Amino acid sequence: MDMNLLHDITFYVMYAAMAIAIFISIERGIYFAYVRRQARALTEVLGASVHSERDLPEGLTRRDSLPLNMVLPILAQKASHGSRKDLDDEIETQYLKTRAPLSRSLWIIETITTAAPLLGLLGTILGIIDTFKALASAGVSDPGQISGGIGTALFATGLGIAIALFCVVFHNFFQDSLERINDQLKILLIRAATGARVQGEVPHLVPTPLHSRTA
């Protein structure tokens, strides 16, 4: 078994994992920013007077977005004048549906965080084994060559730890962003249901002042 080849493969895997982590971090960062911007804009325009997609500004409905896809079923339920339970169930359903698209691919960053140090340690072990095999076959003729081989092997551990640190920072950042976005989307759903007329709800009547009725 060629330990040097396995050592190189370990490096290639770690570099690929680093590239994947960077790509996911950029993609999630852009997506989270877009969702928060759309949710903020929809929250500002939603209210008791909005009962369908036609009541929303065209600029907010022109492009598909997660907040818009959450709001439209709430508006449809609101316009149907169903029961309060049906409206609450629809709000809860739409809120639960946001978990999958928001947390998509974040498990990969978490996996890389755990696997990168282990891959680095594996690369170090393979590199040291390869160095000792070279010593056993050729003897100690050049101490600098030995230290260079061990230094290259230890570089794998350092690279694995660096990748893990990078992933930890962005994973924690995205987890914090998820909590903030979830709160924002919950407020959005409540705003979308504002002004709904549901079955069994008695309209609130403003009492007429006594002096007006006796005048």
Side-chain angles (χ1 to χ4, degrees):
M1 183 179 294
D2 190 350
M3 294 297 175
N4 190 32
L5 177 61
L6 293 177
H7 183 250
D8 292 340
I9 291 175
T10 304
F11 271 105
Y12 295 146
V13 171
M14 285 194 291
Y15 286 135
M18 183 66 174
I20 292 173
I22 292 174
F23 174 80
I24 293 175
S25 299
I26 295 174
E27 187 272 335
R28 290 289 89 185
I30 295 174
Y31 181 73
F32 281 5
Y34 176 69
V35 169
R36 296 185 70 171
R37 184 171 63 252
Q38 291 294 104
R40 191 181 304 113
L42 283 169
T43 302
E44 292 176 355
V45 301
L46 285 173
S49 60
V50 178
H51 295 275
S52 67
E53 184 178 358
R54 296 188 301 272
D55 299 328
L56 295 172
E58 184 180 353
L60 296 178
T61 59
R62 187 181 303 115
R63 295 181 60 184
D64 190 31
S65 67
L66 177 64
L68 180 64
N69 293 334
M70 293 172 59
V71 165
L72 294 182
I74 302 299
L75 295 179
Q77 182 65 36
K78 178 180 175 179
S80 67
H81 305 303
S83 65
R84 171 60 63 179
K85 183 179 182 302
D86 291 339
L87 183 60
D88 292 340
D89 288 345
E90 187 65 38
I91 292 176
E92 188 67 22
T93 300
Q94 295 304 319
Y95 181 71
L96 292 176
K97 283 183 178 180
T98 63
R99 295 183 179 180
L102 287 176
S103 60
R104 186 183 60 202
S105 302
L106 292 183
W107 68 270
I108 298 177
I109 294 183
E110 187 175 2
T111 302
I112 294 175
T113 302
T114 305
L118 299 178
L119 286 172
L121 182 60
L122 176 62
T124 296
I125 293 173
L126 293 175
I128 292 177
I129 291 174
D130 187 65
T131 301
F132 283 142
K133 286 182 64 176
L135 286 176
S137 60
V140 185
S141 58
D142 185 6
Q145 185 177 1
I146 299 172
S147 61
I150 294 177
T152 303
L154 292 175
F155 176 73
T157 300
L159 179 62
I161 294 174
I163 294 174
L165 289 174
F166 172 85
C167 292
V168 164
V169 171
F170 278 92
H171 183 265
N172 291 339
F173 170 76
F174 289 134
Q175 290 299 321
D176 181 70
S177 297
L178 272 177
E179 293 182 7
R180 296 175 183 271
I181 292 175
N182 284 331
D183 292 342
Q184 194 171 6
L185 292 178
K186 189 68 173 180
I187 295 173
L188 175 66
L189 293 175
I190 294 174
R191 288 278 297 173
T194 301
R197 293 168 55 191
V198 297
Q199 293 178 0
E201 189 174 69
V202 180
H204 179 70
L205 300 177
V206 179
T208 306
L210 181 61
H211 62 83
S212 299
R213 286 180 291 179
T214 58

